[in-house]
Amino acid sequence: MPTTTPPPPTADPPPPTADPPPPLADLPPDVLLGHVEAVLHELVAGIVPVVAPDRPPCSPGRPPVLPAFLVWGTLLVGVLRGVGSQRDLWRQITLGGLFDAPAVAISAQGLAHRFTRAGVGPLQQLFAEVNRLLDARLEPWLERWAADDLAPFASDIVVIDETTLDQVARSLPALRGVPAGDERLLPGKLAGVFDLRRQSWRVLAWIEHVHQNEKVVARDLIRDLAPASLIIADLGYFAFEWFDDLTTLGHWWLSRMRAGTSSVVLHTFYATETYRDQLVLLGAYRADRAGHAVRLVEVKVGQTWHRYLTNQTDPVLFPAADVVRLYARRWDIELAIKLIKEHLGLGLLWSAKPVIVQQQVWAVLIIAQILQAMRLEIAGRAGVDPFEVSMELLVRWAPRLAAAGRDPITVFVEDGPRLGFIRPSRRTALVLPSVTPEQYAPAPPGLIRERTPRYAKRKCGPRSATLATP
């Protein structure tokens, strides 16, 4: 299908009267996710003039040698191609060939200064715009999977978690005298909200202090979520006040039960030797207790009891089997972190400067969003579960197929099973209890489900984070 391609960038910024690149909304659908580098070309050409415009020629000072289009395009394609250093980006620019652009005479130091001056704002805006476009692109496939949703009562289903970035190499000049294992080698950590239905990052926070407690920025992370969102979190976020706050805000939540946590049983919906479903108040003692009643779902697998908590107290709307399956989906965020740290090379940081580290992080996240969207579209077209599409092989083969002039999505859909790109998911399938609505004992009318809370206060460390919301 013919497409409208913006004119190739030049070393000089375009005059103010130049025609703007075509808006992405006007591009044919098969262009948006057809080839990974072509996607980046269209995205950067259409968005960068808006989010990071070059200085007009009439402004004071020397015009920029390197257009913003080429700065951010080189960074994104460099991440996609797995470049090992910022200096490799400079080599790519000086050799030319990226997006058919000519070589640009700029020093490695000049490029480093350009990145430092630009900051992370343009990439954060680019990330938000990419998310908006991909959401619109994936809407047909999201509607198809809605019928199999494990929590139809929730407006959104998200997971929140944190990951510490790998240590910066001591080969960098600023760190050569730092001993191995020193905390100064840790550049920071990321806290994020991951959308399970869209398989994409919704909110991200950069945290400078790697030992800061997860709960410090938790409320900021979920600040802009739609009402009645279901929030899944691990035991790092376990706190009575956090649970009560989410309930007061009108959100649903799901967590594991921390060992040793006391509770008061208000009502038993169902109980067997391998499954118990009860309404409880967390905290049996006055010193530390929650205010709202919650459900405690206990399932015995082998000789081990697995305990889950949720404020969705209707076992018919949220059966125990769905509780267990949905909490297992918390692993989705771990796979998303593995994608950005291992498959896309975020484990190898290019610089010790915080701004450069964050630019690399945002570039990796933009590529990750596009790849996650590609996998969802492949799964939708092939009629398979998204986790049957190998993300590792998609990362390795999509650029190769695009370089050979073949559409990666088409190849994965048509030849995926034969080539092993699409294969059975290796996720563990648990045998879970099946209970009909009639078997649950309804809670008695007038049951008091609230009480005056009292929270044990604990210090969680310094509050320092930079949030970005698509």
Side-chain angles (χ1 to χ4, degrees), residues 96-305:
L98 178 67
F99 297 154
D100 298 324
V104 178
I106 186 172
S107 67
Q109 191 65 29
L111 178 62
H113 286 326
R114 180 68 183 272
F115 278 120
T116 302
R117 289 195 306 269
V120 298
L123 285 170
Q124 289 176 333
Q125 294 180 58
L126 184 60
F127 176 84
E129 183 66 9
V130 167
N131 271 4
R132 184 185 68 80
L133 295 168
L134 294 179
D135 279 351
R137 171 70 182 183
L138 293 173
E139 198 61 39
W141 315 121
L142 296 176
E143 292 176 359
R144 173 180 296 183
W145 294 321
D148 298 326
D149 197 342
L150 294 176
F153 55 85
S155 58
D156 286 312
I157 305 176
V158 300
V159 183
I160 62 173
D161 204 355
E162 292 186 353
T163 181
T164 300
L165 298 181
D166 294 343
Q167 290 189 352
V168 178
R170 287 188 296 160
S171 59
L172 297 171
L175 300 174
R176 285 174 183 164
V178 178
D182 193 286
E183 286 188 10
R184 287 173 290 176
L185 298 176
L186 295 173
K189 62 180 179 178
L190 284 174
V193 176
F194 189 76
D195 191 316
L196 291 188
R197 288 171 176 159
R198 292 172 174 80
Q199 289 292 294
S200 63
W201 295 97
R202 292 278 299 276
V203 180
L204 288 151
W206 171 265
I207 301 173
E208 180 182 355
H209 304 283
V210 295
H211 299 301
Q212 178 174 292
N213 189 282
E214 293 96 328
K215 292 185 283 290
V216 172
V217 298
R219 288 169 177 78
D220 290 334
L221 290 176
I222 58 96
R223 180 181 55 210
D224 296 323
L225 291 182
S229 293
L230 174 59
I231 300 165
I232 306 172
D234 63 15
L235 291 177
Y237 296 88
F238 191 98
F240 294 166
E241 186 175 10
W242 164 248
F243 293 152
D244 281 346
D245 285 350
L246 291 180
T247 301
T248 302
L249 289 171
H251 292 308
W252 307 109
W253 56 265
L254 175 61
S255 171
R256 291 290 291 269
M257 176 76 150
R258 174 173 286 171
T261 301
S262 62
S263 62
V264 177
V265 177
L266 299 179
H267 175 71
T268 299
F269 293 108
Y270 189 82
T272 66
E273 293 181 354
T274 59
Y275 163 48
R276 293 191 293 264
D277 199 330
Q278 298 174 313
L279 189 66
V280 304
L281 284 167
L282 295 175
Y285 310 103
R286 194 174 68 88
D288 191 16
R289 63 184 189 179
H292 295 277
V294 298
R295 263 177 73 211
L296 171 61
V297 176
E298 301 174 285
V299 179
K300 189 174 184 181
V301 180
Q303 299 300 315
T304 304
W305 281 94

Side-chain angles (χ1 to χ4, degrees), residues 75-95:
L75 177 62
L76 291 169
V77 173
V79 168
L80 180 64
R81 295 180 180 177
V83 301
S85 67
Q86 192 180 35
R87 202 169 184 84
D88 277 343
L89 300 181
W90 166 72
R91 294 186 180 100
Q92 180 66 62
I93 289 174
T94 56
L95 289 173

Side-chain angles (χ1 to χ4, degrees), residues 410-426:
T410 300
V411 173
F412 268 67
V413 171
E414 295 180 353
D415 295 329
R418 180 177 65 86
L419 298 174
F421 295 149
I422 298 177
R423 72 285 183 269
S425 174
R426 290 175 291 185

